[in-house]
Amino acid sequence: MARRLVLGTLVMPNGHHGAGWRHPDARFGGDESFDFYRGIAQTLERGLFDVLFLQDQVCVRDHGGVEVQSRANITAHLEPLTLLSALSVVTRNLGLVATASTTYNEPYHVARLFASLDHLSGGRAGWNAVTSFTDAEAHNFGREAHLDHDTRYDRAREFVGLVRDLWDSWDDDAFVRDKASGRYFLPGRLHVLNHRGRHFAVKGPLNVPRSPQGHPVIFQAGASADGLDLAAATAEVVYAAAQAKADAQAYYTTLKARAAALGRPPGLPLILPGLHAIVGRTEAEAKAKYRALLDLVDPVVGLAQLSMFFTVDLSGHPLDGPVPDVPLTQGHRSRQKLLLDLARRENLTLRQLIGHVANGLGHLTIVGTAARIADVMQDWFQDGAADGFNILPPYLPGGIDDFVDLVVPELQARGLTRTAYDGRTLRENLGLARPANRFTPAPAPAALAPA
């Protein structure tokens, strides 16, 4: 099968632009409405997307107090696994991916939830494994502060390996359900883990049969040194952030090389940079949409959002002054570095950096026609910077409608994306192999017939 662009989208409740919810064409419902998400999922499936992705945080984001929070667009949202289970009933081919934190969950819970979603969806589940990065989450789980960076990643490595082992608790053919003999499953096809590690002790087995994909697809978004190590060892798809093609190429080359050195299959992991696309039928229309969104940005909210990322209070700094020097902290280090590098490279004021953050939280932003957006996607795809893109619509549902109606046909005309789904499962559509059960010996090679 010829290599083609992978298309995913991160569906935030009110769009990905910081002021997207205030756009005249934005519709509300992402906080609570199943019908809202059903329409988006079916539009994505019409556009032959691979993945609908729902991020998650187990807290109300702390944007500098209730007054600032009351003006922000991301405060409450539905629990993603529940929502994706419902969406599995009204879609047929779209991959359904959700975040679950390795810091605020237990491996057995995560293994069980995603295996169940894989069964309910007929093999379309994916898990975005993250370590989380805010103290606000810690406060909901009996902790005064978020775990330090090294501990989070040490825990995450054990967590991901344990989830994969739990997914292999049963062989694919374990459940014979033989009424005549009275045998429901074959005892030799059950695998009990008896895991004892630094962070977890789990006997097993998982109380869900092995799922249609064997393992739901593992997604990650690591860019720190520890994040790269974890992604190279375990991820099958990686969400990335890059403003410049050269930076994307460097990340792409580094991560693929690390994975190859660990003996991973060629081409893994697939790398999807975020793309905040503002599409117009003309350049003038696209630029008008962009200016309208920027005019709606509330600098107080933007400043609080920057403070959250840097875990440093920036409220005392002048908006039209330079971006202050801040140390990298225990929080979201890779995004901190990306934003600081951008500010230094383009000599941005604090207000200008707020504008960039509003445009997709520092991801690549392209404003233009479908042809211009497709040009950039094709260039990055064919020049070793991306295997596809995670589309970040500025507002909903119009941002997704624009991309599906205008950009997807342009990509199809260039032979970059599919015109029909290739398979039934997410793995099949991504071109990923179905993993063998690690507890089941591989069949011995057949003996050669005598000459």
Side-chain angles (χ1 to χ4, degrees):
M1 184 173 66
R3 181 171 177 257
R4 58 160 189 78
L5 271 168
V6 176
L7 287 181
T9 190
L10 169 52
V11 179
M12 302 286 270
N14 291 294
H16 217 85
H17 193 282
W21 70 279
R22 301 179 66 191
H23 190 280
D25 295 334
R27 279 179 45 210
F28 300 121
D31 299 335
E32 58 193 12
S33 169
F34 174 70
D35 287 342
F36 179 85
Y37 284 103
R38 174 170 52 191
I40 288 171
Q42 292 175 341
T43 298
L44 291 171
E45 201 158 66
R46 177 168 60 83
L48 303 173
F49 269 60
D50 294 280
V51 170
L52 183 160
F53 166 44
L54 299 176
Q55 67 86 42
D56 192 33
Q57 284 186 315
V58 284
C59 66
V60 172
R61 293 190 179 186
D62 184 1
H63 283 297
V66 174
E67 174 57 31
V68 176
Q69 285 175 305
S70 73
R71 305 180 69 82
N73 68 327
I74 305 172
T75 53
H77 58 275
L78 297 174
E79 192 284 313
L81 268 295
T82 306
L83 176 56
L84 291 182
S85 296
L87 290 175
S88 72
V89 180
V90 297
T91 55
R92 293 180 56 83
N93 299 100
L94 185 65
L96 304 170
V97 177
T99 290
S101 171
T102 60
T103 305
Y104 300 112
N105 283 290
E106 290 291 321
Y108 200 96
H109 288 139
V110 167
R112 189 177 187 225
L113 286 165
F114 283 92
S116 296
L117 177 61
D118 208 43
H119 279 288
L120 293 174
S121 65
R124 294 185 283 131
W127 168 37
N128 181 44
V130 304
T131 66
S132 297
F133 66 97
T134 67
D135 286 345
E137 290 175 283
H139 297 161
N140 290 331
F141 292 88
R143 296 177 182 167
E144 291 300 315
H146 196 38
L147 293 178
D148 67 87
H149 183 89
D150 292 344
T151 302
R152 291 203 318 273
Y153 276 94
D154 188 53
R155 177 185 167 99
R157 282 185 285 271
E158 184 178 345
F159 194 115
V160 174
L162 184 48
V163 166
R164 294 194 302 179
D165 286 349
L166 285 165
W167 283 335
D168 285 342
S169 293
W170 304 89
D171 288 351
D172 290 316
D173 58 354
F175 289 89
V176 291
R177 303 180 180 91
D178 188 334
K179 293 182 179 180
S181 69
R183 179 77 71 187
Y184 199 80
F185 71 86
L186 299 175
R189 308 297 169 86
L190 167 65
H191 309 287
V192 180
L193 306 186
N194 290 314
H195 172 91
R196 286 194 173 275
R198 183 192 299 269
H199 299 280
F200 304 104
V202 179
K203 181 180 179 182
L206 189 66
N207 62 345
V208 180
R210 199 161 194 258
S211 72
Q213 295 185 104
H215 297 176
V217 179
I218 294 180
F219 290 67
Q220 285 172 9
S224 66
D226 285 327
L228 281 170
D229 287 342
L230 184 64
T234 63
E236 295 169 290
V237 185
V238 170
Y239 293 128
Q243 287 279 342
K245 177 183 166 185
D247 292 339
Q249 288 172 315
Y251 179 87
Y252 187 96
T253 301
T254 298
L255 184 52
K256 299 269 188 180
R258 287 195 187 194
L262 294 171
R264 303 286 307 281
L268 286 182
L270 302 175
I271 298 174
L272 311 184
L275 172 57
H276 185 236
I278 300 177
V279 191
R281 287 175 173 78
T282 65
E283 289 286 335
E285 180 183 88
K287 290 177 180 177
K289 288 182 180 180
Y290 177 69
R291 286 193 300 270
L293 285 166
L294 280 184
D295 288 344
L296 294 171
V297 172
D298 187 331
V300 173
V301 174
L303 191 62
Q305 189 170 44
L306 270 184
S307 297
M308 180 194 72
F309 267 113
F310 291 131
T311 61
V312 173
D313 185 3
L314 299 174
S315 60
H317 297 274
L319 286 173
D320 295 309
V323 176
D325 290 321
V326 296
L328 299 183
T329 67
Q330 294 294 343
H332 204 325
R333 287 185 181 181
S334 59
R335 192 58 56 84
Q336 291 170 3
K337 186 176 185 305
L338 183 149
L339 292 172
L340 287 173
D341 288 349
L342 171 66
R344 300 293 174 253
R345 185 172 60 246
E346 299 188 13
N347 197 29
L348 300 178
T349 66
L350 196 51
R351 188 188 301 275
Q352 289 169 328
L353 185 59
I354 287 170
H356 278 277
V357 170
N359 286 323
L361 298 176
H363 286 278
L364 174 67
T365 295
I366 307 176
V367 180
T369 62
R372 169 167 161 66
I373 291 167
D375 284 344
V376 175
M377 295 176 72
Q378 182 171 7
D379 181 45
W380 283 38
F381 176 63
Q382 294 179 342
D383 209 14
D387 293 306
F389 291 88
N390 190 31
I391 305 304
L392 313 173
Y395 58 91
L396 297 173
I400 288 176
D401 294 338
D402 288 344
F403 195 93
V404 168
D405 293 338
L406 300 175
V407 181
V408 168
E410 180 71 25
L411 295 171
Q412 289 173 328
R414 300 181 188 203
L416 295 171
T417 57
R418 62 164 66 92
T419 54
Y421 281 105
D422 308 303
R424 181 69 182 85
T425 70
L426 177 56
R427 286 187 173 278
E428 290 169 346
N429 285 320
L430 293 175
L432 300 175
R434 188 178 188 275
N437 190 313
R438 66 191 60 206
F439 299 115
T440 304
L448 293 175

